[in-house]
């Protein structure tokens, strides 16, 4: 009995020792996120409304973003999307007033979407004291450019350059 109890405690310890995102999110490079994205927009979140979808019988979050720049896909001056409302590690959250860049999956047949790679595809835009804009995703920009990328500070301009470069490479690969 002691051995079984010890095995259970060791298993529990191993499960809780892993970072929270390790078991819920598949790491994707920025190029992979760009490839999967249906729309990429830079803008400001204006509304976040939690509601119950009566047809699906689940809680969803409706997010509206005023678009400053469309990087990929089609959008008008604002976009609205719905994602499942859950507290899984890695799920992106949105706040009214927040400046952001988001890469969105295509909408499902149920009318739902989310950021590509969950929090990997949602970048909060912060400004330093000189007004320079920096972008950081929910995982501190880790692995954006590959397995050994430790993340850290990334200007919005550099992030946009990397996205546009990935889009260009993908277009060339299709030829």
């Amino acid at each position: 009995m002691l051995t079984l109890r010890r095995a259970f405690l060791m298993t529990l310890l191993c499960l809780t020792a892993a970072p929270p995102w390790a078991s819920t999110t598949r790491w994707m490079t920025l190029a992979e996120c760009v490839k999967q994205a249906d729309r990429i927009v830079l803008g400001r979140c204006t509304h976040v409304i939690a509601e119950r979808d009566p047809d699906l019988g689940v809680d969803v979050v409706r997010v509206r973003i005023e678009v400053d720049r469309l990087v990929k896909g089609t959008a008008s001056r604002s976009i609205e999307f719905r994602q499942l409302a859950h507290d899984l590690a890695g799920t992106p959250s949105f706040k009214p007033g927040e400046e952001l860049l988001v890469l969105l999956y295509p909408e499902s047949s149920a009318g739902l979407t989310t950021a590509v790679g969950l929090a990997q595809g949602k970048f909060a835009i912060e400004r330093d004291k000189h007004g320079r804009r920096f972008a950081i995703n929910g995982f501190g920009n880790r692995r954006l450019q590959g397995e050994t990328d430790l993340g850290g500070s990334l200007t919005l301009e550099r992030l946009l350059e990397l996205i546009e470069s990935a889009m260009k490479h993908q277009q060339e690969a299709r030829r």
Side-chain angles (χ1 to χ4, degrees):
M1 182 68 173
L2 185 59
T3 306
L4 182 59
R5 186 177 195 180
R6 187 176 296 146
F8 173 76
L9 290 174
M10 289 302 291
T11 302
L12 185 61
L13 178 64
C14 289
L15 289 174
T16 58
W21 60 83
S23 61
T24 59
T25 305
R26 182 180 77 79
W27 286 106
M28 299 171 73
T29 64
L30 182 60
E32 291 172 314
C33 289
V34 168
K35 185 175 184 177
Q36 295 289 320
D38 180 56
R39 293 177 288 176
I40 302 174
V41 298
L42 172 64
R44 184 169 304 280
C45 179
T46 58
H47 293 83
V48 178
I49 300 169
E51 59 192 12
R52 184 108 178 134
D53 184 297
D55 297 328
L56 299 175
V58 296
D59 293 331
V60 298
V61 176
R62 189 163 25 105
V63 179
R64 183 177 302 145
I65 298 172
E66 293 296 323
V67 177
D68 293 331
R69 179 173 172 186
L70 177 64
V71 181
K72 181 180 179 182
T74 58
S76 58
R77 296 180 68 65
S78 69
I79 64 167
E80 188 168 294
F81 63 92
R82 297 178 326 136
Q83 72 175 21
L84 288 175
H86 47 66
D87 293 329
L88 294 176
T91 301
S93 61
F94 297 87
K95 298 178 292 210
E98 175 183 38
E99 187 178 4
L100 53 87
L101 183 136
V102 64
L103 297 85
L104 292 170
Y105 281 116
E107 219 173 73
S108 72
S109 60
L112 300 172
T113 189
T114 192
V116 175
L118 299 174
Q120 294 173 85
K122 188 251 180 177
F123 294 83
I125 309 300
E126 304 288 336
R127 294 179 188 265
D128 70 7
K129 65 182 180 181
H130 304 290
R132 291 179 300 205
R133 296 187 296 178
F134 290 84
I136 188 153
N137 69 14
F139 295 121
N141 295 338
R142 280 188 296 279
R143 297 189 181 178
L144 284 181
Q145 297 183 67
E147 190 79 21
T148 59
D149 185 356
L150 299 177
S153 185
L154 183 66
T155 65
L156 175 60
E157 291 73 23
R158 180 67 181 140
L159 176 60
L160 289 167
E161 287 172 6
L162 291 169
I163 289 170
E164 289 167 359
S165 175
M167 289 171 39
K168 181 180 176 186
H169 283 99
Q170 289 165 14
Q171 287 173 345
E172 290 171 356
R174 279 186 241 144
R175 294 181 195 171

